Amino acid sequence: MTQHDSPALPAHRPGASRQAPEDPSPSRTTRPWMPALLYTLGFLTVYLLAICTPWGQRAENALFGLGEQGGEEAWIYPLSGAAYGSTPLPPMELSAKPTVVVGLAVIVVLTLVRRCWWPGCAALGIVILTTGGKEVLKSNLPRPDLVGAPENLLDQGFPSGHTAIPAALTLAAVLVVSPRIRPYVATVGVLWLACIAAASATMGGHRPSEVLGATLLACACYGLATWLLPPAAAPGATRSTPRALPVITLTLALAIALASGARNDTLTRSLVSGATGFICAALVWYAAVGRPAHTARRTRPALD
């Protein structure tokens, strides 16, 4: 009777079935420059369509002809700081600069406490680039008069400074807080942004394009900052976000934007202002929570 040798089995190595070799393909490690580019293109598109075309100018100028010229008919007027003796909701009216200063101080403190040096520098860069870039663009981007508009509609306000501040501070804050609370910080920030963006559009100080332009500028700066971060310091995907949080956040943002944009004298202007505030909130939420800042290398589990 002969005995047949069975084929030798491969030696078992601890951990071999748990982890496969990393995929070195460039597509998995390429830095995501695309979001920064898309936000920049969005900014330029809003500017060219709304400000550099006759029909874009007519559409926005027509909003100023709906209802009263001032913001007295807006529901949020008592909180705007424009009313005599009222306290402005930051960063409206004279509270804009103090809001930026306080926001920068909070970012510095969080950076020192958490010792997140690279994200802290990126967060400061987002705020400085957004607010400083807003001033440069507002002074240098031309607003041609293509439709013979009244003189009071020829002021240059693209992009909106009041909207740029909450957008930039929200995106900066998500870089320096703990990943566990990042979605909740983003929620508070986008609700604040929805209120300020809608209020800025309905009070008559800014057109919808100027509000959208400020938000896209902040998102572009965030995309650039996270692209330049070292991979080890960049924020990853926020996997701990509760499934219901995006729906709750955006629903509340819509309600706040509609209330902040509401006016007593015109429904159309109220709805346009509310929709503008909601779009701004959705853009910042997607930039801060909806995608990872870098695409990390992935590993595929091997079959046992």
Side-chain angles (χ1 to χ4, degrees), residues 119 174-175 177 179 182-183 222 226 229-241 287-296:
V174 299
L175 286 180
V177 299
R182 185 179 300 149
Y222 175 82
T226 53
L229 276 175
T238 309
R239 298 179 180 178
S240 60
T241 304
V289 180
R291 63 171 181 84
H294 280 61
T295 302

mmCIF file with all atom_site columns, all heavy atoms in Angstrom, residues 119 174-175 177 179 182-183 222 226 229-241 287-296:
data_model
loop_
_atom_site.group_PDB
_atom_site.id
_atom_site.type_symbol
_atom_site.label_atom_id
_atom_site.label_alt_id
_atom_site.label_comp_id
_atom_site.label_asym_id
_atom_site.label_entity_id
_atom_site.label_seq_id
_atom_site.pdbx_PDB_ins_code
_atom_site.Cartn_x
_atom_site.Cartn_y
_atom_site.Cartn_z
_atom_site.occupancy
_atom_site.B_iso_or_equiv
_atom_site.pdbx_formal_charge
_atom_site.auth_seq_id
_atom_site.auth_comp_id
_atom_site.auth_asym_id
_atom_site.auth_atom_id
_atom_site.pdbx_PDB_model_num
ATOM 1   N N   . PRO A 1 119 ? -2.852  71.944 10.470 1.00 0.00 ? 119 PRO A N   1
ATOM 2   C CA  . PRO A 1 119 ? -4.246  72.367 10.297 1.00 0.00 ? 119 PRO A CA  1
ATOM 3   C C   . PRO A 1 119 ? -4.507  73.772 10.829 1.00 0.00 ? 119 PRO A C   1
ATOM 4   O O   . PRO A 1 119 ? -5.308  74.520 10.252 1.00 0.00 ? 119 PRO A O   1
ATOM 5   C CB  . PRO A 1 119 ? -5.030  71.308 11.083 1.00 0.00 ? 119 PRO A CB  1
ATOM 6   C CG  . PRO A 1 119 ? -4.154  70.105 11.065 1.00 0.00 ? 119 PRO A CG  1
ATOM 7   C CD  . PRO A 1 119 ? -2.757  70.642 11.160 1.00 0.00 ? 119 PRO A CD  1
ATOM 8   N N   . VAL A 1 174 ? -13.532 73.681 11.298 1.00 0.00 ? 174 VAL A N   1
ATOM 9   C CA  . VAL A 1 174 ? -13.586 72.225 11.145 1.00 0.00 ? 174 VAL A CA  1
ATOM 10  C C   . VAL A 1 174 ? -12.193 71.620 10.997 1.00 0.00 ? 174 VAL A C   1
ATOM 11  O O   . VAL A 1 174 ? -12.026 70.410 11.185 1.00 0.00 ? 174 VAL A O   1
ATOM 12  C CB  . VAL A 1 174 ? -14.467 71.824 9.941  1.00 0.00 ? 174 VAL A CB  1
ATOM 13  C CG1 . VAL A 1 174 ? -15.892 72.306 10.128 1.00 0.00 ? 174 VAL A CG1 1
ATOM 14  C CG2 . VAL A 1 174 ? -13.887 72.344 8.631  1.00 0.00 ? 174 VAL A CG2 1
ATOM 15  N N   . LEU A 1 175 ? -11.195 72.433 10.686 1.00 0.00 ? 175 LEU A N   1
ATOM 16  C CA  . LEU A 1 175 ? -9.835  71.916 10.560 1.00 0.00 ? 175 LEU A CA  1
ATOM 17  C C   . LEU A 1 175 ? -9.137  71.747 11.904 1.00 0.00 ? 175 LEU A C   1
ATOM 18  O O   . LEU A 1 175 ? -8.226  70.920 12.023 1.00 0.00 ? 175 LEU A O   1
ATOM 19  C CB  . LEU A 1 175 ? -8.994  72.844 9.680  1.00 0.00 ? 175 LEU A CB  1
ATOM 20  C CG  . LEU A 1 175 ? -9.267  72.818 8.171  1.00 0.00 ? 175 LEU A CG  1
ATOM 21  C CD1 . LEU A 1 175 ? -8.349  73.804 7.461  1.00 0.00 ? 175 LEU A CD1 1
ATOM 22  C CD2 . LEU A 1 175 ? -9.087  71.422 7.608  1.00 0.00 ? 175 LEU A CD2 1
ATOM 23  N N   . VAL A 1 177 ? -10.777 71.418 15.107 1.00 0.00 ? 177 VAL A N   1
ATOM 24  C CA  . VAL A 1 177 ? -11.499 70.731 16.168 1.00 0.00 ? 177 VAL A CA  1
ATOM 25  C C   . VAL A 1 177 ? -11.303 69.228 16.029 1.00 0.00 ? 177 VAL A C   1
ATOM 26  O O   . VAL A 1 177 ? -10.817 68.730 15.009 1.00 0.00 ? 177 VAL A O   1
ATOM 27  C CB  . VAL A 1 177 ? -13.000 71.076 16.142 1.00 0.00 ? 177 VAL A CB  1
ATOM 28  C CG1 . VAL A 1 177 ? -13.212 72.562 16.357 1.00 0.00 ? 177 VAL A CG1 1
ATOM 29  C CG2 . VAL A 1 177 ? -13.640 70.627 14.836 1.00 0.00 ? 177 VAL A CG2 1
ATOM 30  N N   . PRO A 1 179 ? -12.062 65.425 15.260 1.00 0.00 ? 179 PRO A N   1
ATOM 31  C CA  . PRO A 1 179 ? -12.918 64.812 14.232 1.00 0.00 ? 179 PRO A CA  1
ATOM 32  C C   . PRO A 1 179 ? -14.268 64.354 14.767 1.00 0.00 ? 179 PRO A C   1
ATOM 33  O O   . PRO A 1 179 ? -15.243 64.323 14.026 1.00 0.00 ? 179 PRO A O   1
ATOM 34  C CB  . PRO A 1 179 ? -12.084 63.629 13.741 1.00 0.00 ? 179 PRO A CB  1
ATOM 35  C CG  . PRO A 1 179 ? -10.669 64.014 14.025 1.00 0.00 ? 179 PRO A CG  1
ATOM 36  C CD  . PRO A 1 179 ? -10.724 64.808 15.295 1.00 0.00 ? 179 PRO A CD  1
ATOM 37  N N   . ARG A 1 182 ? -16.441 67.441 14.692 1.00 0.00 ? 182 ARG A N   1
ATOM 38  C CA  . ARG A 1 182 ? -16.382 68.229 13.468 1.00 0.00 ? 182 ARG A CA  1
ATOM 39  C C   . ARG A 1 182 ? -17.751 68.389 12.801 1.00 0.00 ? 182 ARG A C   1
ATOM 40  O O   . ARG A 1 182 ? -18.118 69.501 12.387 1.00 0.00 ? 182 ARG A O   1
ATOM 41  C CB  . ARG A 1 182 ? -15.382 67.602 12.500 1.00 0.00 ? 182 ARG A CB  1
ATOM 42  C CG  . ARG A 1 182 ? -15.154 68.418 11.225 1.00 0.00 ? 182 ARG A CG  1
ATOM 43  C CD  . ARG A 1 182 ? -14.139 67.722 10.346 1.00 0.00 ? 182 ARG A CD  1
ATOM 44  N NE  . ARG A 1 182 ? -12.871 67.587 11.042 1.00 0.00 ? 182 ARG A NE  1
ATOM 45  C CZ  . ARG A 1 182 ? -12.025 66.595 10.856 1.00 0.00 ? 182 ARG A CZ  1
ATOM 46  N NH1 . ARG A 1 182 ? -12.307 65.620 10.005 1.00 0.00 ? 182 ARG A NH1 1
ATOM 47  N NH2 . ARG A 1 182 ? -10.881 66.562 11.500 1.00 0.00 ? 182 ARG A NH2 1
ATOM 48  N N   . PRO A 1 183 ? -18.568 67.320 12.671 1.00 0.00 ? 183 PRO A N   1
ATOM 49  C CA  . PRO A 1 183 ? -19.875 67.507 12.020 1.00 0.00 ? 183 PRO A CA  1
ATOM 50  C C   . PRO A 1 183 ? -20.778 68.472 12.772 1.00 0.00 ? 183 PRO A C   1
ATOM 51  O O   . PRO A 1 183 ? -21.541 69.218 12.146 1.00 0.00 ? 183 PRO A O   1
ATOM 52  C CB  . PRO A 1 183 ? -20.458 66.087 12.002 1.00 0.00 ? 183 PRO A CB  1
ATOM 53  C CG  . PRO A 1 183 ? -19.298 65.180 12.148 1.00 0.00 ? 183 PRO A CG  1
ATOM 54  C CD  . PRO A 1 183 ? -18.316 65.909 13.007 1.00 0.00 ? 183 PRO A CD  1
ATOM 55  N N   . TYR A 1 222 ? -10.671 76.980 1.140  1.00 0.00 ? 222 TYR A N   1
ATOM 56  C CA  . TYR A 1 222 ? -10.623 75.751 1.934  1.00 0.00 ? 222 TYR A CA  1
ATOM 57  C C   . TYR A 1 222 ? -10.060 74.600 1.103  1.00 0.00 ? 222 TYR A C   1
ATOM 58  O O   . TYR A 1 222 ? -9.215  73.828 1.576  1.00 0.00 ? 222 TYR A O   1
ATOM 59  C CB  . TYR A 1 222 ? -12.022 75.410 2.430  1.00 0.00 ? 222 TYR A CB  1
ATOM 60  C CG  . TYR A 1 222 ? -12.109 74.098 3.168  1.00 0.00 ? 222 TYR A CG  1
ATOM 61  C CD1 . TYR A 1 222 ? -11.757 74.014 4.514  1.00 0.00 ? 222 TYR A CD1 1
ATOM 62  C CD2 . TYR A 1 222 ? -12.543 72.943 2.536  1.00 0.00 ? 222 TYR A CD2 1
ATOM 63  C CE1 . TYR A 1 222 ? -11.827 72.812 5.205  1.00 0.00 ? 222 TYR A CE1 1
ATOM 64  C CE2 . TYR A 1 222 ? -12.621 71.735 3.218  1.00 0.00 ? 222 TYR A CE2 1
ATOM 65  C CZ  . TYR A 1 222 ? -12.268 71.677 4.555  1.00 0.00 ? 222 TYR A CZ  1
ATOM 66  O OH  . TYR A 1 222 ? -12.340 70.481 5.221  1.00 0.00 ? 222 TYR A OH  1
ATOM 67  N N   . THR A 1 226 ? -6.556  72.647 2.137  1.00 0.00 ? 226 THR A N   1
ATOM 68  C CA  . THR A 1 226 ? -6.504  71.215 2.430  1.00 0.00 ? 226 THR A CA  1
ATOM 69  C C   . THR A 1 226 ? -5.685  70.462 1.390  1.00 0.00 ? 226 THR A C   1
ATOM 70  O O   . THR A 1 226 ? -5.105  69.418 1.684  1.00 0.00 ? 226 THR A O   1
ATOM 71  C CB  . THR A 1 226 ? -7.917  70.632 2.492  1.00 0.00 ? 226 THR A CB  1
ATOM 72  O OG1 . THR A 1 226 ? -8.649  70.969 1.302  1.00 0.00 ? 226 THR A OG1 1
ATOM 73  C CG2 . THR A 1 226 ? -8.667  71.181 3.691  1.00 0.00 ? 226 THR A CG2 1
ATOM 74  N N   . LEU A 1 229 ? -2.037  70.837 2.465  1.00 0.00 ? 229 LEU A N   1
ATOM 75  C CA  . LEU A 1 229 ? -1.660  70.201 3.725  1.00 0.00 ? 229 LEU A CA  1
ATOM 76  C C   . LEU A 1 229 ? -0.922  68.893 3.477  1.00 0.00 ? 229 LEU A C   1
ATOM 77  O O   . LEU A 1 229 ? -1.233  68.171 2.528  1.00 0.00 ? 229 LEU A O   1
ATOM 78  C CB  . LEU A 1 229 ? -2.907  69.920 4.563  1.00 0.00 ? 229 LEU A CB  1
ATOM 79  C CG  . LEU A 1 229 ? -3.468  71.042 5.434  1.00 0.00 ? 229 LEU A CG  1
ATOM 80  C CD1 . LEU A 1 229 ? -4.762  70.589 6.088  1.00 0.00 ? 229 LEU A CD1 1
ATOM 81  C CD2 . LEU A 1 229 ? -2.464  71.464 6.493  1.00 0.00 ? 229 LEU A CD2 1
ATOM 82  N N   . PRO A 1 230 ? 0.040   68.544 4.323  1.00 0.00 ? 230 PRO A N   1
ATOM 83  C CA  . PRO A 1 230 ? 0.643   67.210 4.242  1.00 0.00 ? 230 PRO A CA  1
ATOM 84  C C   . PRO A 1 230 ? -0.436  66.145 4.452  1.00 0.00 ? 230 PRO A C   1
ATOM 85  O O   . PRO A 1 230 ? -1.366  66.354 5.230  1.00 0.00 ? 230 PRO A O   1
ATOM 86  C CB  . PRO A 1 230 ? 1.661   67.205 5.393  1.00 0.00 ? 230 PRO A CB  1
ATOM 87  C CG  . PRO A 1 230 ? 1.921   68.638 5.680  1.00 0.00 ? 230 PRO A CG  1
ATOM 88  C CD  . PRO A 1 230 ? 0.669   69.374 5.370  1.00 0.00 ? 230 PRO A CD  1
ATOM 89  N N   . PRO A 1 231 ? -0.343  65.006 3.763  1.00 0.00 ? 231 PRO A N   1
ATOM 90  C CA  . PRO A 1 231 ? -1.385  63.981 3.896  1.00 0.00 ? 231 PRO A CA  1
ATOM 91  C C   . PRO A 1 231 ? -1.648  63.563 5.333  1.00 0.00 ? 231 PRO A C   1
ATOM 92  O O   . PRO A 1 231 ? -2.789  63.296 5.697  1.00 0.00 ? 231 PRO A O   1
ATOM 93  C CB  . PRO A 1 231 ? -0.827  62.817 3.063  1.00 0.00 ? 231 PRO A CB  1
ATOM 94  C CG  . PRO A 1 231 ? 0.074   63.469 2.059  1.00 0.00 ? 231 PRO A CG  1
ATOM 95  C CD  . PRO A 1 231 ? 0.677   64.638 2.761  1.00 0.00 ? 231 PRO A CD  1
ATOM 96  N N   . ALA A 1 232 ? -0.602  63.517 6.168  1.00 0.00 ? 232 ALA A N   1
ATOM 97  C CA  . ALA A 1 232 ? -0.797  63.091 7.555  1.00 0.00 ? 232 ALA A CA  1
ATOM 98  C C   . ALA A 1 232 ? -1.578  64.115 8.366  1.00 0.00 ? 232 ALA A C   1
ATOM 99  O O   . ALA A 1 232 ? -2.210  63.770 9.366  1.00 0.00 ? 232 ALA A O   1
ATOM 100 C CB  . ALA A 1 232 ? 0.552   62.839 8.217  1.00 0.00 ? 232 ALA A CB  1
ATOM 101 N N   . ALA A 1 233 ? -1.560  65.379 7.950  1.00 0.00 ? 233 ALA A N   1
ATOM 102 C CA  . ALA A 1 233 ? -2.236  66.432 8.709  1.00 0.00 ? 233 ALA A CA  1
ATOM 103 C C   . ALA A 1 233 ? -3.594  66.780 8.151  1.00 0.00 ? 233 ALA A C   1
ATOM 104 O O   . ALA A 1 233 ? -4.356  67.506 8.790  1.00 0.00 ? 233 ALA A O   1
ATOM 105 C CB  . ALA A 1 233 ? -1.368  67.695 8.731  1.00 0.00 ? 233 ALA A CB  1
ATOM 106 N N   . ALA A 1 234 ? -3.921  66.274 6.969  1.00 0.00 ? 234 ALA A N   1
ATOM 107 C CA  . ALA A 1 234 ? -5.182  66.633 6.333  1.00 0.00 ? 234 ALA A CA  1
ATOM 108 C C   . ALA A 1 234 ? -6.335  65.905 6.990  1.00 0.00 ? 234 ALA A C   1
ATOM 109 O O   . ALA A 1 234 ? -6.203  64.766 7.424  1.00 0.00 ? 234 ALA A O   1
ATOM 110 C CB  . ALA A 1 234 ? -5.134  66.283 4.850  1.00 0.00 ? 234 ALA A CB  1
ATOM 111 N N   . PRO A 1 235 ? -7.502  66.559 7.088  1.00 0.00 ? 235 PRO A N   1
ATOM 112 C CA  . PRO A 1 235 ? -8.663  65.885 7.663  1.00 0.00 ? 235 PRO A CA  1
ATOM 113 C C   . PRO A 1 235 ? -9.169  64.797 6.735  1.00 0.00 ? 235 PRO A C   1
ATOM 114 O O   . PRO A 1 235 ? -9.280  64.997 5.533  1.00 0.00 ? 235 PRO A O   1
ATOM 115 C CB  . PRO A 1 235 ? -9.693  67.014 7.814  1.00 0.00 ? 235 PRO A CB  1
ATOM 116 C CG  . PRO A 1 235 ? -9.298  68.017 6.789  1.00 0.00 ? 235 PRO A CG  1
ATOM 117 C CD  . PRO A 1 235 ? -7.798  67.936 6.688  1.00 0.00 ? 235 PRO A CD  1
ATOM 118 N N   . GLY A 1 236 ? -9.464  63.651 7.284  1.00 0.00 ? 236 GLY A N   1
ATOM 119 C CA  . GLY A 1 236 ? -9.985  62.546 6.489  1.00 0.00 ? 236 GLY A CA  1
ATOM 120 C C   . GLY A 1 236 ? -11.490 62.590 6.412  1.00 0.00 ? 236 GLY A C   1
ATOM 121 O O   . GLY A 1 236 ? -12.139 63.560 6.822  1.00 0.00 ? 236 GLY A O   1
ATOM 122 N N   . ALA A 1 237 ? -12.065 61.534 5.892  1.00 0.00 ? 237 ALA A N   1
ATOM 123 C CA  . ALA A 1 237 ? -13.515 61.439 5.806  1.00 0.00 ? 237 ALA A CA  1
ATOM 124 C C   . ALA A 1 237 ? -14.115 61.391 7.206  1.00 0.00 ? 237 ALA A C   1
ATOM 125 O O   . ALA A 1 237 ? -13.597 60.740 8.105  1.00 0.00 ? 237 ALA A O   1
ATOM 126 C CB  . ALA A 1 237 ? -13.916 60.192 5.018  1.00 0.00 ? 237 ALA A CB  1
ATOM 127 N N   . THR A 1 238 ? -15.226 62.085 7.395  1.00 0.00 ? 238 THR A N   1
ATOM 128 C CA  . THR A 1 238 ? -15.883 62.122 8.689  1.00 0.00 ? 238 THR A CA  1
ATOM 129 C C   . THR A 1 238 ? -16.856 60.959 8.761  1.00 0.00 ? 238 THR A C   1
ATOM 130 O O   . THR A 1 238 ? -18.026 61.076 8.413  1.00 0.00 ? 238 THR A O   1
ATOM 131 C CB  . THR A 1 238 ? -16.627 63.464 8.877  1.00 0.00 ? 238 THR A CB  1
ATOM 132 O OG1 . THR A 1 238 ? -15.730 64.535 8.580  1.00 0.00 ? 238 THR A OG1 1
ATOM 133 C CG2 . THR A 1 238 ? -17.126 63.619 10.294 1.00 0.00 ? 238 THR A CG2 1
ATOM 134 N N   . ARG A 1 239 ? -16.355 59.793 9.205  1.00 0.00 ? 239 ARG A N   1
ATOM 135 C CA  . ARG A 1 239 ? -17.166 58.598 9.200  1.00 0.00 ? 239 ARG A CA  1
ATOM 136 C C   . ARG A 1 239 ? -18.131 58.525 10.376 1.00 0.00 ? 239 ARG A C   1
ATOM 137 O O   . ARG A 1 239 ? -19.063 57.748 10.355 1.00 0.00 ? 239 ARG A O   1
ATOM 138 C CB  . ARG A 1 239 ? -16.242 57.368 9.218  1.00 0.00 ? 239 ARG A CB  1
ATOM 139 C CG  . ARG A 1 239 ? -15.342 57.278 7.998  1.00 0.00 ? 239 ARG A CG  1
ATOM 140 C CD  . ARG A 1 239 ? -14.428 56.075 8.076  1.00 0.00 ? 239 ARG A CD  1
ATOM 141 N NE  . ARG A 1 239 ? -13.558 55.988 6.908  1.00 0.00 ? 239 ARG A NE  1
ATOM 142 C CZ  . ARG A 1 239 ? -12.629 55.047 6.749  1.00 0.00 ? 239 ARG A CZ  1
ATOM 143 N NH1 . ARG A 1 239 ? -12.461 54.124 7.684  1.00 0.00 ? 239 ARG A NH1 1
ATOM 144 N NH2 . ARG A 1 239 ? -11.870 55.034 5.664  1.00 0.00 ? 239 ARG A NH2 1
ATOM 145 N N   . SER A 1 240 ? -17.868 59.320 11.421 1.00 0.00 ? 240 SER A N   1
ATOM 146 C CA  . SER A 1 240 ? -18.707 59.249 12.604 1.00 0.00 ? 240 SER A CA  1
ATOM 147 C C   . SER A 1 240 ? -19.938 60.123 12.508 1.00 0.00 ? 240 SER A C   1
ATOM 148 O O   . SER A 1 240 ? -20.671 60.255 13.489 1.00 0.00 ? 240 SER A O   1
ATOM 149 C CB  . SER A 1 240 ? -17.890 59.640 13.842 1.00 0.00 ? 240 SER A CB  1
ATOM 150 O OG  . SER A 1 240 ? -17.399 60.971 13.707 1.00 0.00 ? 240 SER A OG  1
ATOM 151 N N   . THR A 1 241 ? -20.188 60.732 11.364 1.00 0.00 ? 241 THR A N   1
ATOM 152 C CA  . THR A 1 241 ? -21.351 61.591 11.214 1.00 0.00 ? 241 THR A CA  1
ATOM 153 C C   . THR A 1 241 ? -22.628 60.774 11.284 1.00 0.00 ? 241 THR A C   1
ATOM 154 O O   . THR A 1 241 ? -22.797 59.820 10.517 1.00 0.00 ? 241 THR A O   1
ATOM 155 C CB  . THR A 1 241 ? -21.305 62.330 9.864  1.00 0.00 ? 241 THR A CB  1
ATOM 156 O OG1 . THR A 1 241 ? -20.073 63.048 9.769  1.00 0.00 ? 241 THR A OG1 1
ATOM 157 C CG2 . THR A 1 241 ? -22.455 63.301 9.749  1.00 0.00 ? 241 THR A CG2 1
ATOM 158 N N   . ALA A 1 287 ? -18.493 71.055 1.524  1.00 0.00 ? 287 ALA A N   1
ATOM 159 C CA  . ALA A 1 287 ? -17.042 71.239 1.562  1.00 0.00 ? 287 ALA A CA  1
ATOM 160 C C   . ALA A 1 287 ? -16.453 70.745 2.878  1.00 0.00 ? 287 ALA A C   1
ATOM 161 O O   . ALA A 1 287 ? -15.374 70.139 2.899  1.00 0.00 ? 287 ALA A O   1
ATOM 162 C CB  . ALA A 1 287 ? -16.697 72.715 1.354  1.00 0.00 ? 287 ALA A CB  1
ATOM 163 N N   . ALA A 1 288 ? -17.148 70.975 3.989  1.00 0.00 ? 288 ALA A N   1
ATOM 164 C CA  . ALA A 1 288 ? -16.586 70.667 5.298  1.00 0.00 ? 288 ALA A CA  1
ATOM 165 C C   . ALA A 1 288 ? -16.798 69.222 5.717  1.00 0.00 ? 288 ALA A C   1
ATOM 166 O O   . ALA A 1 288 ? -15.930 68.630 6.369  1.00 0.00 ? 288 ALA A O   1
ATOM 167 C CB  . ALA A 1 288 ? -17.200 71.591 6.357  1.00 0.00 ? 288 ALA A CB  1
ATOM 168 N N   . VAL A 1 289 ? -17.927 68.628 5.359  1.00 0.00 ? 289 VAL A N   1
ATOM 169 C CA  . VAL A 1 289 ? -18.280 67.311 5.883  1.00 0.00 ? 289 VAL A CA  1
ATOM 170 C C   . VAL A 1 289 ? -18.556 66.310 4.776  1.00 0.00 ? 289 VAL A C   1
ATOM 171 O O   . VAL A 1 289 ? -18.314 65.109 4.941  1.00 0.00 ? 289 VAL A O   1
ATOM 172 C CB  . VAL A 1 289 ? -19.524 67.409 6.800  1.00 0.00 ? 289 VAL A CB  1
ATOM 173 C CG1 . VAL A 1 289 ? -19.907 66.044 7.365  1.00 0.00 ? 289 VAL A CG1 1
ATOM 174 C CG2 . VAL A 1 289 ? -19.275 68.393 7.931  1.00 0.00 ? 289 VAL A CG2 1
ATOM 175 N N   . GLY A 1 290 ? -19.020 66.784 3.645  1.00 0.00 ? 290 GLY A N   1
ATOM 176 C CA  . GLY A 1 290 ? -19.525 65.874 2.636  1.00 0.00 ? 290 GLY A CA  1
ATOM 177 C C   . GLY A 1 290 ? -18.498 65.093 1.878  1.00 0.00 ? 290 GLY A C   1
ATOM 178 O O   . GLY A 1 290 ? -18.819 64.168 1.150  1.00 0.00 ? 290 GLY A O   1
ATOM 179 N N   . ARG A 1 291 ? -17.208 65.422 2.001  1.00 0.00 ? 291 ARG A N   1
ATOM 180 C CA  . ARG A 1 291 ? -16.167 64.694 1.285  1.00 0.00 ? 291 ARG A CA  1
ATOM 181 C C   . ARG A 1 291 ? -14.901 64.734 2.113  1.00 0.00 ? 291 ARG A C   1
ATOM 182 O O   . ARG A 1 291 ? -14.696 65.640 2.917  1.00 0.00 ? 291 ARG A O   1
ATOM 183 C CB  . ARG A 1 291 ? -15.869 65.340 -0.074 1.00 0.00 ? 291 ARG A CB  1
ATOM 184 C CG  . ARG A 1 291 ? -15.326 66.757 0.058  1.00 0.00 ? 291 ARG A CG  1
ATOM 185 C CD  . ARG A 1 291 ? -14.835 67.301 -1.251 1.00 0.00 ? 291 ARG A CD  1
ATOM 186 N NE  . ARG A 1 291 ? -14.310 68.632 -1.070 1.00 0.00 ? 291 ARG A NE  1
ATOM 187 C CZ  . ARG A 1 291 ? -13.077 68.910 -0.675 1.00 0.00 ? 291 ARG A CZ  1
ATOM 188 N NH1 . ARG A 1 291 ? -12.252 67.934 -0.415 1.00 0.00 ? 291 ARG A NH1 1
ATOM 189 N NH2 . ARG A 1 291 ? -12.676 70.156 -0.529 1.00 0.00 ? 291 ARG A NH2 1
ATOM 190 N N   . PRO A 1 292 ? -14.000 63.740 1.951  1.00 0.00 ? 292 PRO A N   1
ATOM 191 C CA  . PRO A 1 292 ? -12.710 63.800 2.614  1.00 0.00 ? 292 PRO A CA  1
ATOM 192 C C   . PRO A 1 292 ? -11.821 64.820 1.940  1.00 0.00 ? 292 PRO A C   1
ATOM 193 O O   . PRO A 1 292 ? -11.918 65.055 0.732  1.00 0.00 ? 292 PRO A O   1
ATOM 194 C CB  . PRO A 1 292 ? -12.149 62.385 2.454  1.00 0.00 ? 292 PRO A CB  1
ATOM 195 C CG  . PRO A 1 292 ? -12.817 61.874 1.226  1.00 0.00 ? 292 PRO A CG  1
ATOM 196 C CD  . PRO A 1 292 ? -14.178 62.502 1.207  1.00 0.00 ? 292 PRO A CD  1
ATOM 197 N N   . ALA A 1 293 ? -10.956 65.436 2.711  1.00 0.00 ? 293 ALA A N   1
ATOM 198 C CA  . ALA A 1 293 ? -10.045 66.426 2.144  1.00 0.00 ? 293 ALA A CA  1
ATOM 199 C C   . ALA A 1 293 ? -8.974  65.770 1.299  1.00 0.00 ? 293 ALA A C   1
ATOM 200 O O   . ALA A 1 293 ? -8.489  66.341 0.351  1.00 0.00 ? 293 ALA A O   1
ATOM 201 C CB  . ALA A 1 293 ? -9.400  67.246 3.263  1.00 0.00 ? 293 ALA A CB  1
ATOM 202 N N   . HIS A 1 294 ? -8.551  64.581 1.666  1.00 0.00 ? 294 HIS A N   1
ATOM 203 C CA  . HIS A 1 294 ? -7.585  63.843 0.882  1.00 0.00 ? 294 HIS A CA  1
ATOM 204 C C   . HIS A 1 294 ? -8.123  62.439 0.671  1.00 0.00 ? 294 HIS A C   1
ATOM 205 O O   . HIS A 1 294 ? -8.835  61.904 1.508  1.00 0.00 ? 294 HIS A O   1
ATOM 206 C CB  . HIS A 1 294 ? -6.238  63.726 1.601  1.00 0.00 ? 294 HIS A CB  1
ATOM 207 C CG  . HIS A 1 294 ? -5.397  64.949 1.485  1.00 0.00 ? 294 HIS A CG  1
ATOM 208 N ND1 . HIS A 1 294 ? -5.795  66.161 1.966  1.00 0.00 ? 294 HIS A ND1 1
ATOM 209 C CD2 . HIS A 1 294 ? -4.175  65.126 0.943  1.00 0.00 ? 294 HIS A CD2 1
ATOM 210 C CE1 . HIS A 1 294 ? -4.841  67.042 1.747  1.00 0.00 ? 294 HIS A CE1 1
ATOM 211 N NE2 . HIS A 1 294 ? -3.850  66.444 1.127  1.00 0.00 ? 294 HIS A NE2 1
ATOM 212 N N   . THR A 1 295 ? -7.780  61.809 -0.420 1.00 0.00 ? 295 THR A N   1
ATOM 213 C CA  . THR A 1 295 ? -8.143  60.427 -0.652 1.00 0.00 ? 295 THR A CA  1
ATOM 214 C C   . THR A 1 295 ? -7.015  59.554 -0.147 1.00 0.00 ? 295 THR A C   1
ATOM 215 O O   . THR A 1 295 ? -5.942  59.514 -0.736 1.00 0.00 ? 295 THR A O   1
ATOM 216 C CB  . THR A 1 295 ? -8.372  60.164 -2.152 1.00 0.00 ? 295 THR A CB  1
ATOM 217 O OG1 . THR A 1 295 ? -9.396  61.051 -2.596 1.00 0.00 ? 295 THR A OG1 1
ATOM 218 C CG2 . THR A 1 295 ? -8.804  58.725 -2.390 1.00 0.00 ? 295 THR A CG2 1
ATOM 219 N N   . ALA A 1 296 ? -7.265  58.908 0.962  1.00 0.00 ? 296 ALA A N   1
ATOM 220 C CA  . ALA A 1 296 ? -6.217  58.105 1.576  1.00 0.00 ? 296 ALA A CA  1
ATOM 221 C C   . ALA A 1 296 ? -6.018  56.817 0.806  1.00 0.00 ? 296 ALA A C   1
ATOM 222 O O   . ALA A 1 296 ? -6.877  56.371 0.060  1.00 0.00 ? 296 ALA A O   1
ATOM 223 C CB  . ALA A 1 296 ? -6.592  57.805 3.031  1.00 0.00 ? 296 ALA A CB  1
#
